[in-house]
Amino acid sequence: MESKYIIPASNISEGVEFFLRGAKKRRSMAIASVRQINSDIGVNLKLISAK
């Protein structure tokens, strides 16, 4: 007899995965924006993001 339940690949819900994916995208866009602004004004910093 087959089980009707699907075993999830992870314990993170789809809503949380969606939220985290958006957060990663916003963080990468913010870092790219800061790098662009710094290069425009001639500042050369090494950015390190804390997770």
Side-chain angles (χ1 to χ4, degrees):
M1 184 175 185
E2 290 186 31
S3 175
K4 294 182 182 180
Y5 300 106
I6 298 172
I7 299 171
S10 70
N11 62 351
I12 300 175
S13 69
E14 291 179 23
V16 173
E17 284 181 7
F18 178 78
F19 179 77
L20 292 175
R21 200 168 35 246
K24 285 180 184 178
K25 183 177 180 181
R26 284 189 302 276
R27 182 173 51 230
S28 67
M29 289 173 57
I31 290 172
S33 178
V34 168
R35 285 185 177 152
Q36 179 65 38
I37 292 169
N38 282 342
S39 69
D40 288 347
I41 61 174
V43 176
N44 192 8
L45 296 175
K46 190 170 192 175
L47 294 176
I48 300 172
S49 64
K51 292 184 179 181

